Amino acid sequence: MSFLRTAVFFLLAGCSATQHLQKEISHQLSSRSYNKEINIDSLVTILKPLSSREREKIIVPFMLAGNIPSFNLQLKKVKIKFTDSTGKIYKAVVFVSPDYLCIGNDKQFMRMPLTPQAAQQIADSLHCILPTKKMVDEIYLAASVKSEPHPLTENRDSFQTFLQHHQIIEHQLNFKHSGKIIAGIKKDVVQTPKIYTASKPNRVAIYGWHQLTGIAIQPLYTGHVDWYVDYSHGIRLVYEKMIINKKVYLIKDVLNNRQLQPLLCDEDTCGYTRYKNN
């Protein structure tokens, strides 16, 4: 096979894998957002006085029923490159939600912090996973829209603060949503083997909230119990499959493969992890 024919073959093979996976994602997710008419103000009034557990008994079924803006489910490509110790180059693509998970529809919505159990349940229903620490970094690098973090210090776990922070973000974005990847506005709830080895059981892992310098405010942290959630926690969806060197892989298999896991994990110990649903 001539050099030109070989180059064309691999180019088409790569395009084919990407196009196939993009069609699969569209098929899996396009029907999951129904854009029902809702009144966010009324929903906020109901949710404000509730504890996180009580709140999520309403929020999770509501979101599972399709009350998620369609832009959350229009996943975008993030390219990752890694060279191993032998010099072999791996070129990968993961598919991520452009913004943090919201409740509502395309006209009325609110970025919704969730406990890791609720986040896992919604991610599972959408054939998605939660990101690793390294994936959060890669998503930030790939983001077209980077906003300065805006920390709040009072009543961090109150629903009113959730709403206040969402409104601050909307002002930062000038109420414009291009569909491009947005980063810097929240910490990420992440998967990590550290939730299994923390000094105390039942932990949530958070990481990120990158400043415009590219430095994350929040190191990887497992100090909070897993029912804790505050205004700064964001849920980024990552599709369960990815492409590596023009082939499709399940991300859980990549994270459990010692040769491939450095593409997605830069921790001392790597491996696919998930939070147990309530």
Side-chain angles (χ1 to χ4, degrees):
M1 187 180 290
S2 70
F3 173 79
L4 180 59
R5 288 176 62 191
T6 301
V8 171
F9 172 79
F10 282 109
L11 178 62
L12 292 175
C15 290
S16 176
T18 301
Q19 290 170 354
H20 173 78
L21 195 50
Q22 286 177 317
K23 286 181 180 179
E24 177 181 307
I25 293 169
S26 178
H27 175 73
Q28 294 280 21
L29 301 187
S30 62
S31 63
R32 300 306 301 273
S33 177
Y34 302 112
N35 274 301
K36 298 175 182 176
E37 289 296 326
I38 65 170
N39 187 311
I40 282 290
D41 292 336
S42 297
L43 183 62
V44 166
T45 299
I46 294 169
L47 296 175
K48 263 185 188 179
L50 304 180
S51 68
S52 62
R53 293 184 187 276
E54 294 171 329
R55 208 164 46 227
E56 290 186 352
K57 287 180 181 178
I58 297 172
I59 289 171
V60 172
F62 199 65
M63 297 179 84
L64 292 176
N67 293 284
I68 298 172
S70 63
F71 61 75
N72 270 160
L73 307 182
Q74 294 169 0
L75 306 191
K76 306 300 177 185
K77 293 189 292 184
V78 171
K79 296 180 180 179
I80 302 171
K81 187 176 179 180
F82 174 75
T83 304
D84 69 15
S85 59
T86 69
K88 183 174 180 179
I89 297 173
Y90 296 88
K91 294 182 179 180
V93 180
V94 295
F95 297 84
V96 309
S97 56
D99 200 341
Y100 290 102
L101 192 62
C102 303
I103 190 169
N105 58 37
D106 288 350
K107 294 182 179 179
Q108 294 191 63
F109 61 88
M110 175 183 168
R111 291 174 185 83
M112 184 57 64
L114 295 169
T115 62
Q117 298 94 337
Q120 188 72 65
Q121 187 176 355
I122 294 169
D124 288 348
S125 76
L126 296 169
H127 301 276
C128 290
I129 64 162
L130 299 178
T132 63
K133 168 186 172 291
K134 183 177 181 183
M135 291 165 73
V136 172
D137 288 334
E138 295 287 354
I139 291 167
Y140 185 81
L141 288 173
S144 299
V145 181
K146 295 180 171 76
S147 290
E148 184 74 41
H150 194 112
L152 301 173
T153 58
E154 296 182 4
N155 302 315
R156 297 167 56 87
D157 59 348
S158 79
F159 192 82
Q160 181 58 41
T161 307
F162 292 8
L163 179 61
Q164 179 187 359
H165 194 243
H166 167 74
Q167 292 168 338
I168 288 169
I169 293 167
E170 285 298 283
H171 281 282
Q172 285 180 301
L173 298 174
N174 293 319
F175 301 92
K176 295 179 180 178
H177 304 91
S178 63
K180 297 178 180 179
I181 298 175
I182 299 168
I185 57 175
K186 294 275 188 185
K187 303 172 187 176
D188 283 74
V189 174
V190 296
Q191 60 161 299
T192 171
K194 285 183 171 60
I195 63 173
Y196 302 143
T197 59
S199 59
K200 296 181 180 179
N202 305 318
R203 302 287 100 181
V204 57
I206 52 175
Y207 172 75
W209 217 2
H210 292 72
Q211 303 168 85
L212 294 179
T213 59
I215 298 173
I217 291 176
Q218 177 65 68
L220 184 60
Y221 180 70
T222 58
H224 291 308
V225 68
D226 61 9
W227 49 257
Y228 176 80
V229 56
D230 72 36
Y231 76 96
S232 67
H233 295 190
I235 309 303
R236 179 87 70 176
L237 299 174
V238 180
Y239 194 63
E240 64 184 359
K241 296 180 184 179
M242 65 181 294
I243 296 170
I244 304 174
N245 292 351
K246 304 180 176 67
K247 293 183 179 180
V248 178
Y249 293 78
L250 283 168
I251 287 181
K252 67 178 181 180
D253 292 340
V254 174
L255 285 170
N256 289 331
N257 183 302
R258 291 192 175 221
Q259 183 179 3
L260 297 177
Q261 61 189 198
L263 272 165
L264 302 178
C265 177
D266 56 7
E267 300 174 49
D268 294 337
T269 301
C270 297
Y272 175 69
T273 59
R274 62 190 311 282
Y275 295 94
K276 294 180 181 180
N277 294 335
N278 288 329

